[in-house]
Amino acid sequence: MNNTRVLLKRRTGGIPQEQDFELVDAATDRPAAGELLCETLYLSLDPYLRGRISGRHISGAINVGDLMGGEAVNRVIESKSDRFRQGDIIAAHSGWQSHPVVRADAARQVNPELGPLSTLLGILGMPGLTAYAGMTRLAGLKADDTVVVSAASGPVGSMVGQIARRKGCRIVGIAGSAEKCRWTVEQAGFDRGINYKTETLRDSLKRACPDGIDVYFDNVGGDTLQACMEQLAFGARVILCGLIAQYNTNEMPPGPNPAFIIKARATVRGLVVYDHEDLRPEFEQQVSRWLKQGEICYREDCVEGLEHAPALFCRLMRGENFGKAIVNVQGTDFKSVP
């Protein structure tokens, strides 16, 4: 049994290219005491990995020759730990590889009954917990708030909107295509979608939010952040979460003008999901219930086979994907795992 791995072959500026990655096969390592040999079922591809390639992310750099990082849902093949047994389903940051050896103390057992296994990397995983923490802990949501979220059709943005909708808020989503905007309104229940590629963002925000933005959840930074800051309502709350606008550049964009923050007496908070791990049990129980009752929806952009991970990641960083980027590593339907 070989372990197929994807390594960073070269570090280039701008949008990543498929040629920046290398697929290699090697003999599978054997687990030592306290370790688990696993097979990767689903692998998550996330924009923050571009920051790691650039060496600018808080979770550390990915250097040339390194295994590409990322969280995965794995099945334990062989356990050398009392914490897990063969057949257990775990989540771990085991990276882009088919048969990783994982430290047991770095793995988290997951409940396959929560939902389809792929959702444990999306609405029931890190993106969902990010949205849940931002909306329930940081945003101070009130009924009738006008909530704006960027990257609205993505796994974080779509959950932000759907959670806020359940709180009685009015939701405006910013996305990059007519199809994405239509999905946020018709499927996710947003009140309005703004296509920033075909509309003048500032004018559309004024029309969509005539009384201002009460809560802005930012996934992108850059000019989108500045445009939303200009439309803040009095006492607005701003959640800064993602930096998609600057992941593909080595130049730091100018920050938003603080005059708009002062004018609105706004509160601005940075969100790092790792700070909110204590919310996970509550989050999983609540979102699993919503999912099973058909009260929330999600969208996945899934490819089969680890060899397709670089192409999907590049598409993600070009903004051409639609939904949570997932690799089905074994190419098998794992909705039900014995």
Side-chain angles (χ1 to χ4, degrees):
M1 180 171 57
N2 282 345
N3 181 25
T4 302
R5 309 167 76 227
V6 178
L7 311 181
L8 181 64
K9 186 177 181 180
R10 64 182 184 181
R11 178 182 286 146
T12 56
I15 298 173
Q17 306 294 318
E18 291 183 52
Q19 296 81 3
D20 297 342
F21 307 93
E22 181 180 15
L23 194 73
V24 298
D25 282 321
T28 302
D29 293 332
R30 308 307 306 174
E35 293 183 335
L36 314 168
L37 172 61
C38 304
E39 63 174 341
T40 303
L41 305 182
Y42 291 100
L43 170 67
S44 175
L45 305 184
D46 298 284
Y48 81 87
L49 293 172
R50 183 64 183 88
R52 292 195 63 192
I53 292 173
S54 300
R56 298 201 303 261
H57 195 266
I58 62 172
S59 60
I62 297 175
N63 297 309
V64 172
D66 286 351
L67 175 74
M68 282 296 298
E71 188 176 23
V73 170
N74 305 308
R75 178 162 48 192
V76 177
I77 298 175
E78 181 181 352
S79 174
K80 296 293 186 181
S81 167
D82 293 337
R83 295 181 56 195
F84 301 98
R85 61 185 179 181
Q86 183 180 2
D88 281 348
I89 305 299
I90 65 167
H93 287 270
S94 51
W96 296 18
Q97 54 183 329
S98 63
H99 293 86
V101 171
V102 177
R103 289 195 350 261
D105 61 4
R108 174 174 56 85
Q109 189 157 12
V110 297
N111 180 4
E113 299 301 318
L114 290 172
L117 290 184
S118 60
T119 63
L120 300 176
L121 298 172
I123 62 168
L124 280 164
M126 181 183 69
L129 180 57
T130 301
Y132 191 84
M135 290 294 97
T136 65
R137 178 169 280 176
L138 301 185
L141 286 182
K142 301 187 295 290
D144 299 324
D145 273 347
T146 293
V147 177
V148 176
V149 57
S150 51
S153 66
V156 176
S158 63
M159 279 297 290
V160 164
Q162 291 180 90
I163 292 170
R165 183 196 70 202
R166 298 185 62 84
K167 298 287 187 179
C169 300
R170 181 173 176 273
I171 318 301
V172 177
I174 302 170
S177 74
E179 182 185 15
K180 291 177 180 179
C181 288
R182 186 164 52 250
W183 182 85
T184 62
V185 173
E186 296 178 0
Q187 300 298 319
F190 286 39
D191 295 280
R192 171 82 158 84
I194 297 175
N195 182 351
Y196 71 88
K197 291 186 177 180
T198 60
E199 301 179 51
T200 302
L201 183 56
R202 285 169 172 80
D203 292 342
S204 294
L205 283 171
K206 290 176 182 177
R207 289 193 295 270
C209 312
D211 297 321
I213 299 169
D214 297 300
V215 176
Y216 174 51
F217 192 105
D218 182 58
N219 287 305
V220 300
D223 189 59
T224 300
L225 173 58
Q226 176 61 38
C228 289
M229 287 292 198
E230 294 172 12
Q231 194 63 18
L232 294 180
F234 186 89
R237 290 83 71 200
V238 178
I239 311 299
L240 303 180
C241 180
L243 297 166
I244 294 173
Q246 68 183 62
Y247 283 146
N248 292 321
T249 178
N250 291 323
E251 297 182 5
M252 295 295 99
N257 189 331
F260 297 100
I261 301 172
I262 296 169
K263 178 182 177 182
R265 284 71 156 181
T267 300
V268 180
R269 304 206 44 189
L271 169 57
V272 176
V273 68
Y274 311 125
D275 297 338
H276 304 280
E277 189 64 29
D278 63 298
L279 285 176
R280 186 178 294 277
E282 170 193 323
F283 151 74
E284 289 181 340
Q285 182 181 41
Q286 183 64 78
V287 175
S288 177
R289 183 184 304 117
W290 291 340
L291 181 61
K292 291 173 180 177
Q293 293 174 347
E295 297 179 9
I296 57 172
C297 64
Y298 65 96
R299 174 111 180 196
E300 293 178 340
D301 191 341
C302 186
V303 297
E304 293 187 357
L306 194 59
E307 67 273 16
H308 298 298
L312 178 57
F313 181 67
C314 294
R315 190 150 51 86
L316 171 67
M317 297 314 302
R318 292 194 299 267
E320 296 172 359
N321 75 302
F322 188 173
K324 178 72 188 83
I326 296 277
V327 181
N328 182 336
V329 175
Q330 307 298 332
T332 304
D333 185 357
F334 292 103
K335 287 186 173 65
S336 175
V337 176

